[in-house]
């Protein structure tokens, strides 16, 4: 397959937007106490740099905010911020703000025994909406006291998670969710009217909830500052003891969802509200090995490239395999959501994100497997991918690219991940899939996780740079150009031919 | 070219000796005050780990040990250890001991104006041997006071540097050197009889000095604990304003020198003394670009592999391009001796050394371009190189290796440097040879400096592991094997075919 | 009160033993995943340096070792070492080894619902001793595989915790404990006969268990390598919603216990076995503010000074307030056991331990409130304390000490904690007891946590050094002497009177 | 002595200005390559945070910028930025910008042999003003290329140093200096007209130079953006082999100089120009022990408090004892200028500066030994000092301060340096003035260098806070208040009387 691309001299475009790195998902907040979690977040923020982080479990018992003291036979609420302070301090120190999900229910406030996940998040409505309101308000007031109003005004508050699923909200009771939302949104606004609150945080396949939710808020005059939804492209799973296997829809499936729901909002009384995809990934299950593959990286590139056309942000679920929804991870690679695997090993999708970080400039070309930007100095960065869902070998792709050249020559750095390079999962399989790798094995996995780096210099001909690229199956490759200011003439007596070898 | 290698099942060998990493050279000691120097030494010690470090300039004015106070018209010596304490503290903290070169002359003690190098090391005999003796003793006594006798007894003390060259010692006056040696060796032993002292630290081409020196010490009963000499393989230079170009002898030239001088010592009254090569490299000039090349790495491998057959240590000159013998370096790459280039960029020769660090085991095969060791667990490490001094393309080499397999299967990690990979000098040329690269350029040079890493798993057939390797021109490649304990069977439901892509 | 102390010139003594820093207690092992825990352990190991660490919860569900897979309706054990590897790796990296407590019961193996603590450690016997045996063996085999046999042979394995209390072991059933011990000890020895196993880890007040246990092991020929017990000096608590208050016995109460139980062992068939106090403190409750006081430090000094006379080790319970037995800590100071309070603030008892770290030398004097050692260079360190359990002001103590002076003069550094200095709890009360202090408050608490440092120089008279010390209530003070080598005479023109001010 | 201070409720003031921390002096720029220098600068920037740094030696040979290549018998300039890039990179990474002093003369451009200092800075006019101009321009163009125009526009460029002294400028030739200034200023402006250039950088006692310089610039239309001068308060020295001793003027002497020269500028055609004191200290000699004393700190407080009334900045000479004007320092303390002594030990003056860092608020009271500010939250910080130039004991000072209290109560942290605390020089004398202290001695000196910290809480009476302070001789003490929000009532069952001890 050969694809020819020519960027016209007149090409103009908008600056490539940063919606793709606005927010990232995390395992439940209680895990943020862990050192391994913090180490992974350090890597993520240093190398990519998201603005917000969103996860479950703010009010889960392990964070420990809601407690009760018995005094004279009466139970008084006690709000313990020891752990959440440590967690949010750590986020802000790393330059990432909380995108606050208000949930799940503290066990002392739960009206039933239903829970979700290995870690037993309570999913029933509050036994007393007044106590819930007080909890929400005491918590936000504490945040303002500790971090300042100016800071907390920048934190979105989202009410609950996927209430349209009975696993996450008792009976997926829509009316009860609207009640929860109404109480919570008003509680937030009572603390300060400029705080931002939104919902309904539903998963895909239930977009009538969006319509109903927007109508409800409009009719009942309930505050609403942004709309949220999730998106995954996996089909029904084949369940085995240690893995979930799923086929996937095309990546356009997700882009269509983004577009369609944005359209629903546009048609509603809340046409101007931001729309955040507060979770997305290929599979929605943390035991699906697809998350560990190079394919996952290549497949998501189109969504990273085009998602920002439709939504204000989309938050990859999740940044790290420090995650416990299906129990403590049992192996170095196990199908977890993370951009970073256990022991700090970046997965291919991590590098796809990092490559996008370089795409800071004016979009002069974009197709379903290519994104080209022109930078301030007139040189280009090219990101190309070759996602192939089918099994088997082959599937190479050739690109021939012509770019108008503002000057000459250019230095080109090419960074590549594919089946051979930047693929620690493959090396780990070669190692015999060690569940608990030795330090030496971890060290090798870190080495092989890096992209292949190749460099070159290029001269334009007739004002055009002409490149030919070959992409292997599921390869993601980034070309970064910089202007060459040749200083060779300043070396008196320079003659490389006189150097042996 | 195809080379077939077969290791017999009965193959036995000695443990590969560590003489190659016993000692490393450094720019003058005063440079050890610099942060960049310390950063490079950190890298070196973390990744390779030499036991000793040797450089010029202990008594040079910039370290500042020897001073004089004028009191009532008389000049009294003052010994200032402020800087040397800082320097030796830093060495010991990094786990490397000084191999102490006693020299050059403090300006206040110099009997003439002759100096060497940009930094003007004084090269004349002491104006007063008594004051020199006091200086040597006061300095060593201070070392003992600060670091303890037990520590200092492990430091060799070498008298002067290359006295056989008029540049380093006035008129290359042999008799005067023997006088200096005699005074100094006795001064050292007077501090403590178990301190180790040696010489004559000559460069190549003057081995009659060795004979004369040994005779002198024997006849005059002058203490001598070890013999030292230098070795370079470069021929006469072509000098240009910014570079020295030199052809090289074959690497066997140096090995022959090692052997011949060892023979001279063996025939002398000091047959049992250790013999240290306290400097070696290809070229002896810090503006020869050969030091920056992959060729330099490949060429030296045979010396690293076989040098220990003849000498007790051989000390690569030098670990870092933080070096000023020919002025402050004027460019990122400029032909400096260092294993580490400016800005902390490892050169190919650095990785050749690092690869040798992995060769910790029993030598079961060795030829002029191959070294194979068997490790405790029965697996092998293979180091192979393809040094080609000629210019031009081609020169590929194929290796077919058969190894008796103790078990099955093995994981193989291959690390490679060649013209394409692990070659920052080449990328820097592509960049237009920026003299003072930007931080972004430095970051790229660090990335490309790393070896190419490839991994695989192998199954023996009939009790034999059969490998085929292709080595490009001047490639150095390391294969490290580890036993695979396959845990795949513990994953219930494992089926990679169900993973998309 | 004045106390006169004179050390005779003929005084000789043994080297002060390190039993006091052999082992330290920790909150349940699952907490070792937390970053705050690791930060505190870094401080502890850098400043004090214990050899072993012991805590509950190796087999608790949060560490996640024991799991079961359902395969064809059958439940197969699955051993997950992801977390325990991370935990023990971190210990060994910090130079501290596990003193392994085998317990509590994984929920899948528990024979009942009884649990202990906020974190619900299961306290019932295994539902199947065969599965328990397999769990113990699989775990130890994994340790050997990961860390090497040589390493693991240095880890003591202790069976269960305080089985003489019904809270920790169903019905405090002694016979059932002996059964557990027997199965476990044999399981350990079956992995390797040189592994060390011991018990019965009882709390105080039940020493007939010791007698019975030793008899049982002797009669039944059950392996036993060491004996363990706990010790606290607190009386019955007054319980309030947020605090436990307790009066204390004198500190000699604990020393008597050490002595008496050692005597019991001496009289048994296991007279030669080591005896480890695997937990001790003043109060056994983590909500008793005594742990935060200077009194706690002064009171324990005698035990640190004399405990080693009777027992092979005594392990302070615990090194850090990262601890959850009574829920997530609700405040900066809350009465936790830790040497280090939340946010990395050292408590007075931390400094008492650190002071003892300096007592490395020959004991030349010891009384109930003083310890004097002579160091290799002939100078002395003096540790003195003035523990006062009563409330109220006053209680100053004066010491007059005469020491034979080997040389003159000496530099003296005095480090002091008392009510005024080294007392962050007091400053925190002045701050209004902020539960979740700001970063600025934490920074101040760290500053005030440090001892007061005073320095001086002293000249002996007639071969004697004469010191007078005043100790305030509950003061702990350390004097460290070093020889002065006066270099003032080397400063030409020195005259401090010419310096203004 | 008792001083009563009452701040009226109506007191209003300006925000205390930051002129005192605008700039700091440094040893010659070449020393910035040293690790010890960088370590000290890290401390300074972390704890105090200056905006600019100024030192000699930009064009000195050791930085190596100006070199010449001989090509066909002709000498071509070569500009080597290897070291200056490393130096300025390090400054900017630490958040401090260069206040660029253009000087001294590269040896290749010097018209004579005159040099200054141990390190031999050339002090003669350029042999060729054209080459000087090219050097200045090439250097600034390189800075712009590396750091961006926006950055470099914020760097003041000062021409030469103390040309009114023959030691620094041949014959102190004013006319020749004006020539140098004119060439240089025009060279700078030719690179970019918005670059800032100034002079004449004279020392005290020659203020007619200022008048003449301003007239010259006005008449000759030479660019001038700021005026600079130095200021020291020491009288004629008594010179000894190892020390310079000097009496000092009162500190008002310096404030008067600031005021008078500002007045001169105000009366000139350049009335609006900024006036920078680019060097000041007590003594101008780096072997005067006054710099190491607590007196130096107390004495300078008034200048730090009031200097900003007259000048735009005043730059303490210097931040570190890494300094070589009078040879390599020969001792831990030797009278160096530094805020930080060798081995990273802060001197008392360091803490005086750090205390001023806390004085960020509205000045409500100031006298010659007191500064009181009110912070945003209505609480106060009080800085008081008791400088006493006379020798001898006594000189205590009592302060009684009344402050209107906005609320109640307050927490007070008092930080103190005086003869007893925060005085490492004194402890070092007790140690016997070790020239090259051991690591253990350095560690003690760091401990004793810290201020004494005391804390308390205070309740206002009748709306007034009443404090009594006693200051010892040469004490500098800082009181920092913060509002107390007492949470004691939230502790259920709290009763400190139930805690033993």
């Amino acid at each position: 397959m050969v694809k020819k691309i020519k960027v016209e001299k007149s090409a103009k475009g908008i600056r490539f937007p940063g919606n793709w790195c606005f927010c990232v998902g995390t395992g439940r907040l209680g895990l943020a106490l862990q050192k391994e979690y913090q180490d992974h977040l350090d890597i993520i923020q240093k190398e990519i740099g998201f603005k917000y982080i969103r996860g479950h479990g703010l009010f889960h018992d392990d964070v420990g905010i809601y407690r009760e003291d018995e005094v004279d036979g009466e139970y008084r609420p006690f709000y313990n911020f020891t752990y959440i302070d440590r967690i949010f301090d750590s986020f802000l120190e790393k330059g990432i703000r909380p995108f606050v999900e208000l949930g799940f229910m503290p066990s002392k406030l739960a009206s039933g025994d239903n829970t979700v996940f290995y870690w037993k998040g309570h999913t029933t409505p509050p036994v007393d909406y007044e106590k819930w309101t007080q909890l929400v308000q005491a918590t936000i007031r504490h945040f303002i006291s500790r971090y300042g109003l100016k800071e907390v005004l920048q934190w979105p508050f989202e009410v609950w998670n996927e209430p349209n699923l009975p696993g996450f909200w008792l009976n997926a009771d829509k009316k009860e969710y609207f009640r929860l939302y109404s109480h919570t949104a008003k509680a937030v606004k009572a603390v300060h009217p400029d705080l931002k609150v939104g919902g309904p945080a539903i998963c895909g396949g239930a977009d009538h909830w969006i319509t109903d939710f927007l109508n409800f808020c409009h009719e009942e005059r309930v505050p609403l500052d942004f709309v949220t939804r999730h998106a995954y492209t996996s089909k029904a799973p084949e369940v085995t003891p240690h893995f979930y296997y799923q086929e996937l829809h095309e990546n356009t499936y997700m882009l269509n969802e983004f577009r369609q729901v944005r359209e629903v909002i546009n048609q509603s009384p809340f046409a101007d509200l931001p729309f955040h995809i507060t979770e997305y990934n290929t599979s929605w299950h943390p035991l699906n090995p697809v998350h560990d593959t190079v394919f996952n990286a290549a497949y998501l590139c189109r969504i990273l490239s085009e998602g920002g056309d439709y939504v204000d942000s989309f938050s990859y679920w999740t940044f790290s395999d420090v995650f416990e929804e299906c129990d403590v991870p049992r192996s170095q690679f196990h199908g977890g959501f993370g951009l970073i695997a256990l022991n700090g090993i970046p997965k291919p999708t991590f590098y796809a994100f990092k490559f996008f970080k370089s795409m800071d400039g004016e979009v002069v070309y974009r197709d379903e497997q290519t994104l080209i930007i022109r930078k301030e100095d007139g040189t280009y960065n090219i990101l190309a991918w070759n996602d192939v869902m089918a099994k088997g070998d082959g599937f190479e792709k050739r690109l021939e690219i012509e770019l108008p050249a503002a000057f000459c020559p250019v230095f080109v750095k090419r960074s590549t991940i594919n089946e051979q390079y930047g693929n620690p999962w493959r090396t780990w399989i070669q190692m015999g899939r060690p569940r608990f790798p030795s330090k030496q094995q971890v060290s090798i996995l870190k080495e092989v996780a890096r992209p292949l780096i190749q460099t070159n210099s290029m001269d334009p001909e007739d004002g055009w740079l002409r490149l030919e690229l070959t992409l292997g199956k599921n390869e993601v490759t980034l070309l970064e150009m910089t202007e060459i200011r040749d200083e060779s003439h300043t070396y008196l007596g320079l003659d490389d031919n006189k150097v042996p070898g």
Side-chain angles (χ1 to χ4, degrees), chain A residues 191-227:
Chain A
V191 175
H192 195 284
D194 294 342
L195 289 165
K196 300 286 174 268
V197 67
I202 57 164
C203 74
D207 287 334
H208 57 284
W209 272 64
I210 301 274
T211 314
D212 296 349
F213 176 69
L214 295 175
N215 288 339
F216 166 76
C217 290
H218 183 63
E219 286 162 15
E220 304 294 327
R221 309 180 67 93
V222 177
L224 179 66
D225 296 307
F226 57 88
V227 182

Side-chain angles (χ1 to χ4, degrees), chain A residues 54-86:
Chain A
R54 173 194 171 275
H56 312 319
L58 173 68
F59 291 136
H60 185 56
D61 283 4
D62 68 341
V63 175
I65 294 178
Y66 189 78
R67 294 300 193 253
E68 290 179 350
D69 284 315
E70 185 184 356
V71 183
D72 304 330
E74 190 196 343
Y75 288 89
R76 294 196 208 163
F78 181 92
Y79 306 111
N80 184 355
F81 300 113
T82 293
Y83 279 176
I84 196 65
D85 281 359
R86 207 182 285 165

Side-chain angles (χ1 to χ4, degrees), chain A residues 335-396:
Chain A
F337 293 116
L339 294 173
I340 309 281
L342 298 185
N343 295 302
I345 297 164
K347 296 185 194 173
T349 306
F350 170 88
Y351 280 107
F353 272 76
K354 190 165 150 60
F355 290 174
F356 270 89
K357 195 72 190 178
S358 294
M359 302 306 280
D360 186 17
E362 185 191 7
V363 178
V364 291
Y365 178 83
R366 190 172 69 169
D367 66 27
E368 69 282 6
Q369 293 189 319
T370 320
L371 177 65
I372 305 179
I373 57 137
R374 186 163 52 209
K375 292 174 288 183
E376 269 193 25
D377 67 358
T379 63
Y380 302 88
N381 282 3
I382 302 169
L383 187 58
W385 54 94
N386 180 23
D387 51 305
V388 179
M389 210 185 296
K391 306 303 292 184
D393 293 335
F395 303 101
E396 274 201 357

Side-chain angles (χ1 to χ4, degrees), chain A residues 109-120:
Chain A
L109 287 187
S111 54
D113 292 336
N114 304 54
T115 66
V116 66
F117 300 139
Y118 160 74
W119 47 271
K120 298 191 185 305

Side-chain angles (χ1 to χ4, degrees), chain A residues 294 298 384-387 414 416-419 470-477:
Chain A
V294 182
W385 54 94
N386 180 23
D387 51 305
R414 181 174 178 179
T416 299
I417 55 172
N418 56 27
E419 297 294 338
T470 302
L471 279 75
K473 185 183 173 186
N474 287 320
E475 178 160 325
V476 184
T477 198

Side-chain angles (χ1 to χ4, degrees), chain A residues 436-455:
Chain A
F436 319 111
S438 68
K439 290 192 179 188
Q440 188 195 1
Q441 288 174 320
V442 168
S443 165
I444 293 171
L445 292 170
K446 282 184 181 170
E447 277 188 284
V448 301
R450 292 190 199 114
L452 179 72
I453 307 294
Q454 295 163 304
T455 61

Side-chain angles (χ1 to χ4, degrees), chain A residues 232-233 248-258 281-282 295-304 306-307 310 368-369 385-389:
Chain A
Y232 294 89
T233 59
L248 301 182
H249 298 280
E250 295 296 321
N251 47 21
T252 48
Y253 177 91
M254 189 183 289
L255 291 168
N256 287 336
E257 287 194 329
F258 287 8
N281 205 324
T282 47
F295 164 73
N296 202 69
Y299 172 95
L300 286 174
C301 280
R302 183 165 184 187
I303 292 167
L304 289 165
E306 300 180 19
Y310 311 111
E368 69 282 6
Q369 293 189 319
W385 54 94
N386 180 23
D387 51 305
V388 179
M389 210 185 296

